[in-house]
Structures are given as C-alpha cells and as structure tokens.
C-alpha cells in the first residue's frame, strides 16, 4: 500500500507552531503582528486563486496582509516605485510579487529590486545564492522548503538516498536540488536533475529512491517508470480545462501500490508551500523588522 504524505496535516501543525510563536515572541511583547505584502499584476486566473489563498492563510494565523493589485499594462517604472515604497515601509515585514508576471516586465530586474531582507519568496539573487551556503538566516523559496519539510516531518531519511528531481525551475526544481544535497542535518541526498533535454528519463527514475516532480504536465510520471518502494513528491498543479479538478504530474493510479509514499494533489505540496511563506514572513518580522 502506498502511504500518503499528507501536506494538509503537516501544514496545520506548522500553522499552529507559527501562530504560537507570533503570540509568544510578538503579541506578548506588545509589538504589531507580522505583515505580508502581495503584489499581483494582471488578471491571471490561477494567480488570483493563489493570492487569495495566501491572504486566507494569513488570516488563519493572525498575520496581516495587504494586496496591491496592479493593471496588466502597468509600466515597469511604476512597479519599481511601488517596490521601493514597500522596501522602505516599516509597517511591511516582507512582500512577494506573484509570478509569473506580464511578458513586458523584466522579471529579473523586478525581483532584484526587492530588499533581500523583505524577500519572503526567497527569489532575490542574494537569497538564492545563500541556499547553497549554510545560512539559516536567509529565506528559502517556499515550495522547496515545503517539500523538504514534508519529507522531514514524515521521518523520511534522505541521507545518501538518490533523489531524482524532474524540472529545474528557479521556483521549484533548482532550489529543491540545493536543499536536498546540502551538507546539513536534513540534506546529504545524492541529486540528479532532469529536464526537457534529459534522454531516457526512465533510466534515472527507475534508479531513484526519491522522485520530486515539477514539470506541469498532468499524469506525466507512470508506474512503469519507477522502482518498488520509491518515495514520490508531486509538485505539479494542473488545472484541467479551467475546471475545479486539479491533477498532479504523477499518474496516481499507476504508481499506487508500487511507491512507498506519495504526496497527493491536491493536499500535498500546495499547503506546505503556503505555510512556508508564512514561516518566512515570521522570520522577517523577528529578524529584520525596521525599527
Ligand atoms: P516551469 O515551467 O518553470 O518548469 C518546468 C520544468 O519541467 C522545466 O525545467 C522543464 O525543462 C521541465 N520539463 C518540461 N517538460 C519535460 C519533460 N518532458 N521531461 C522532463 N522535464 C521536463 O514550471 P514550475 O517549476 O514553475 O512549475 C511546475 C509545476 O509545479 C506546475 O504544474 C506548477 O503549477 C506547479 N507548482 C506547484 C507549486 C505548489 O505549491 N504545489 C508551486 C509552484 C509550482 P526545461 O528547463 O528544459 O524547459
């Protein structure tokens, strides 16, 4: 029987821990609650759903949030001004720009203009670089942190295990590969990164102890591509024909009974990602708040 890596359950526990920490370290000291800023550009349907759920998550644990929703044709200069204001606003502890952003905007330039101490998505080059160092004070991208925390809280040993990560995006695959392979208490995995140029993907997946997949193709990984007992983490969120049904990147039915564990979609990595954003925001409030 394949067991589920239940992200909802783990996220609920972590939410409670964060909530307790807010009370103990902030509210009881008569300080203001952590405040997350969210910049959303345009009307992308999925982005709006993600942003709404982030706002709801803040409410659940007593964090403040502010949404700045901008028109899809906004000029880059104007966004940089808004970011500069948020960087200097002592009432905002951390903020994010919901990705992807409109094509006419230079994503790298915009991300690089965020103050690294408020970059709770962990995408600023300074924070990204620190992932490979043992720097626990920086921000790790929420999905990558969510994935390793999901494994850690399920007592899955990753030391010396062969992890195949399918997908190398800066949001998921790449930072996850760095966290999994770090020389750290929870790390030391031997990582192979696969992508769209990888030849004979099954060769790698059949030799994997752990597979983390983030390609954005529904039911991509099949039972015939894996070995018995493998641990599967499905990051994919594929909205089928804009219906309410979400599919992961793993063909659940065909791996069921072969894999030892699988993170379901929905209810696996998604809730972990959202709660890790809260964790990063709390981190910003505790360590970097502008006095
Ligand atoms: P990207 O499109 O940025 O990256 C996809 C990656 O998959 C690329 O590295 C690409 O390779 C690789 N890829 C595409 N086709 C193949 C193939 N046939 N074989 C092997 N590799 C392939 O996507 P994201 O990383 O942003 O997102 C991936 C999925 O994860 C999406 O479904 C997204 O919705 C979901 N997601 C879920 C989150 C959550 O919290 N659960 C958070 C973020 C994303 P190449 O680099 O060569 O193009």
């Amino acid at each position: 029987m394949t067991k589920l890596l239940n992200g909802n359950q783990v996220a609920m526990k972590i939410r409670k821990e964060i909530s307790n920490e807010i009370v103990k370290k902030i509210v009881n000291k008569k300080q203001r609650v952590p405040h997350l800023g969210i910049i959303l550009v345009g009307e992308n349907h999925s982005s709006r759903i993600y942003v709404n759920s982030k706002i709801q998550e803040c409410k659940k644990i007593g964090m403040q949030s502010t949404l700045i929703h901008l028109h899809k044709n906004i000029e880059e200069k104007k966004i940089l001004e808004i970011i500069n204001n948020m960087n200097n606003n002592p009432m905002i502890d951390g903020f994010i720009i919901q990705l992807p952003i409109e094509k006419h905007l230079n994503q790298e330039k915009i991300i690089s203009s965020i103050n690294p101490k408020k970059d709770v998505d962990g995408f600023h080059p300074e924070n990204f670089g620190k992932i490979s160092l043992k720097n626990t004070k920086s921000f790790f991208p929420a999905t990558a942190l969510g994935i390793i925390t999901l494994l850690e809280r399920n007592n899955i040993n990753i030391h010396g295990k062969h992890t195949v990560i399918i997908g190398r995006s800066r949001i998921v695959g790449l930072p996850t590969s760095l966290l999994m392979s770090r020389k750290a208490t929870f790390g030391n995995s031997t990582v192979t990164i696969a992508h769209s140029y990888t030849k004979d993907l099954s060769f790698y997946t059949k030799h994997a102890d752990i597979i983390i997949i983030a390609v954005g193709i529904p039911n991509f990984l099949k039972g015939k591509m894996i070995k018995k007992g493998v641990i599967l983490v499905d990051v994919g969120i594929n909205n089928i024909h804009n219906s309410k049904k979400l599919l992961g990147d793993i063909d659940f039915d065909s791996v069921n009974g072969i894999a030892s564990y699988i993170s379901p979609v929905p209810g696996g990595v998604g809730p972990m990602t959202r709660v890790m954003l809260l964790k990063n925001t709390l981190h910003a409030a505790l360590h970097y708040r502008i006095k």
Side-chain angles (χ1 to χ4, degrees), residues 50 143 166-169 171-172 194-197 201 214-217 220 235-238 249 269-270 273:
Y50 293 144
T143 305
I166 315 175
R168 58 177 166 182
S169 70
I171 298 179
V172 188
H195 42 74
S196 67
Y197 290 83
L201 181 63
V215 294
I217 305 172
F220 180 83
V235 187
I237 301 178
N238 305 291
D249 288 347
V269 176
T273 298

Side-chain angles (χ1 to χ4, degrees), residues 35-43 47-48 51-52 55 65-72 74 78-87 89 92 94-98 101:
H35 187 174
L36 171 70
I38 302 175
I39 300 176
L40 172 66
V41 184
E43 300 299 329
S47 293
R48 290 197 71 146
V51 163
N52 284 340
I55 293 169
S65 66
T66 296
L67 170 64
I68 299 185
H69 191 176
L70 304 169
H71 191 272
K72 67 177 169 46
I74 185 151
K78 185 74 192 147
I79 295 206
L80 293 173
E81 252 174 58
I82 291 167
I83 290 176
N84 191 39
N85 288 341
M86 287 190 128
N87 282 340
N89 183 345
I92 300 254
F95 64 98
I96 63 162
I97 319 249
Q98 183 65 40
I101 48 174

Side-chain angles (χ1 to χ4, degrees), residues 2 101 173 194 246 257-258 289:
T2 302
I101 48 174
L246 295 180
I258 306 173
R289 186 167 269 185

Side-chain angles (χ1 to χ4, degrees), residues 90-160:
M91 303 307 281
I92 300 254
D93 294 300
F95 64 98
I96 63 162
I97 319 249
Q98 183 65 40
L99 300 179
I101 48 174
E102 300 291 327
K103 294 262 184 311
H104 69 281
L105 301 166
N106 182 334
Q107 183 174 301
E108 289 309 315
K109 191 170 169 188
I110 288 174
I111 289 174
S112 298
S113 70
I114 300 174
N115 176 350
K117 292 192 161 63
K118 290 195 175 191
D119 168 42
V120 287
D121 252 346
F123 297 149
H124 187 284
E126 189 177 313
N127 286 320
F128 208 86
K130 283 180 180 170
I131 302 173
S132 46
L133 306 171
K134 271 190 165 180
N135 190 319
T136 50
K137 283 269 162 73
S138 64
F139 300 105
F140 296 136
T143 305
L145 192 56
I147 292 168
I148 66 157
T149 308
L150 184 63
L151 294 170
E152 192 176 15
R153 297 277 178 127
N154 278 281
N155 298 316
I156 287 173
N157 178 16
I158 66 169
H159 287 245

